[in-house]
Amino acid sequence: MQQITQEIITEYVEKNIPEFHRNRIEKLGKLELKAVLKRKNPYLFKVKNIVTASNFVETILDAYLSSQEETLFGGFLEGLAIYVCRHVYRGSKSSAEGIDLEFEKDGTKYIVSIKSGPNWGNSSQIKRMKDNFRKAKRILGTNTASSPNVVAVNGCCYGRDNTPDKGEYLKLCGQRFWSFISGNENLYTEIIEPLGHKAEEKNEHFLEEYGKVVNKFSLEFMKMFCDTSGQIHWEEVIQFNAGQV
């Protein structure tokens, strides 16, 4: 076991976080108003009494980007977790289906499926994860004679779950997860500072591109759904989103 230091984490973050910011801007640039409109609930926006095109556009854009960024950043955190575990316990990216990380600690082989937060999936997705755990356990149980004890773990990078023992697997969230893969109970807070490296500079660039998209979408929205007085025709918005083709 080796100690993980903030300098080591900072080195990883500085090398890999730019990809997260590039992907944010790239996905933003590829968006089309019609595609975003079709994925959001227009009734909700009417209930919120949105009366301007720019406010409508910002609302649907923010809702869409939030889910996209959650996915992108989840991938970054998964990579960071594997990197930390590789340094501390010689963990590695698993080749087994649905398993992100595997490593040995105190005579036990751990197989880990990494998710962003605790509320990540429905019952069918959890069932699939459990099936993947069973398959990986069977393979490792027969091929790894030196480590017959195999424990499955659903690791969540943030949040809490105060009943970690789920029977077939452990669910370790937030502090429990980062401590589990690093041996450092405070790592979950120590990674905050490196994550903020050049965040202001990167986000300024993103906000510039975001402003361009808001202006572009607002103009398109007004042409499609507003009359000459500037009033939104909600019936047309609903028809576009939910009407039969």
Side-chain angles (χ1 to χ4, degrees):
M1 174 179 174
Q2 299 184 45
Q3 296 295 321
I4 188 78
T5 65
Q6 197 169 66
E7 288 75 19
I8 293 172
I9 294 174
T10 299
E11 180 181 353
Y12 178 88
V13 171
E14 289 183 356
K15 181 179 178 180
N16 292 277
I17 199 66
E19 182 179 358
F20 166 73
H21 291 291
R22 281 195 301 270
N23 286 337
R24 288 174 75 207
I25 293 175
E26 182 179 328
K27 287 187 175 295
L28 181 64
K30 291 180 178 179
L31 286 180
E32 294 183 0
L33 175 63
K34 291 182 179 180
V36 179
L37 276 173
K38 288 180 180 292
R39 297 178 184 177
K40 295 303 172 184
N41 184 351
Y43 301 103
L44 173 63
F45 304 131
K46 177 60 176 176
V47 169
K48 294 173 72 173
N49 194 35
I50 292 176
V51 296
T52 67
S54 60
N55 194 357
F56 186 98
V57 165
E58 287 184 16
T59 302
I60 64 170
L61 194 57
D62 289 348
Y64 180 82
L65 290 174
S66 177
S67 61
Q68 292 289 307
E69 290 173 353
E70 182 78 18
T71 300
L72 289 173
F73 196 66
F76 170 81
L77 284 178
E78 176 187 327
L80 176 60
I82 294 172
Y83 177 79
V84 167
C85 191
R86 180 185 298 124
H87 182 85
V88 178
Y89 295 113
R90 297 183 180 178
S92 62
K93 177 76 174 177
S94 177
S95 59
E97 180 181 359
I99 309 301
D100 301 306
L101 171 67
E102 58 182 67
F103 68 100
E104 290 188 27
K105 178 167 67 170
D106 300 329
T108 298
K109 182 82 171 184
Y110 291 98
I111 52 175
V112 188
S113 176
I114 303 174
K115 308 296 181 183
S116 292
N119 304 312
W120 58 267
N122 55 35
S123 58
S124 63
Q125 291 170 314
I126 293 173
K127 180 180 181 299
R128 189 180 307 120
M129 179 186 70
K130 290 163 72 173
D131 288 341
N132 290 332
F133 281 152
R134 294 187 196 108
K135 292 176 184 176
K137 280 185 175 183
R138 284 197 297 269
I139 295 171
L140 290 170
T142 56
N143 294 348
T144 315
S146 62
S147 181
N149 186 26
V150 181
V151 175
V153 177
N154 173 204
C156 302
C157 296
Y158 67 83
R160 294 182 180 180
D161 189 316
N162 292 324
T163 55
D165 189 348
K166 304 300 180 184
E168 291 188 58
Y169 66 97
L170 299 176
K171 186 173 183 179
L172 305 179
C173 300
Q175 182 180 16
R176 281 191 177 98
F177 172 63
W178 290 103
S179 175
F180 165 66
I181 61 171
S182 70
N184 179 356
E185 291 189 357
N186 298 316
L187 185 65
Y188 78 114
T189 58
E190 292 175 359
I191 61 176
I192 286 295
E193 185 174 343
L195 288 176
H197 179 70
K198 295 186 178 179
E200 183 176 356
E201 173 188 326
K202 298 293 184 182
N203 280 289
E204 282 181 0
H205 185 200
F206 177 81
L207 289 174
E208 289 178 6
E209 299 303 314
Y210 174 86
K212 294 177 185 177
V213 173
V214 169
N215 291 338
K216 176 186 174 184
F217 281 9
S218 297
L219 182 59
E220 291 179 18
F221 183 87
M222 291 183 69
K223 289 179 178 178
M224 293 172 63
F225 303 113
C226 295
D227 60 24
T228 54
S229 70
Q231 184 174 1
I232 297 174
H233 286 180
W234 284 99
E235 294 82 1
E236 294 182 11
V237 176
I238 300 297
Q239 288 170 1
F240 177 82
N241 173 274
Q244 295 183 5
V245 177

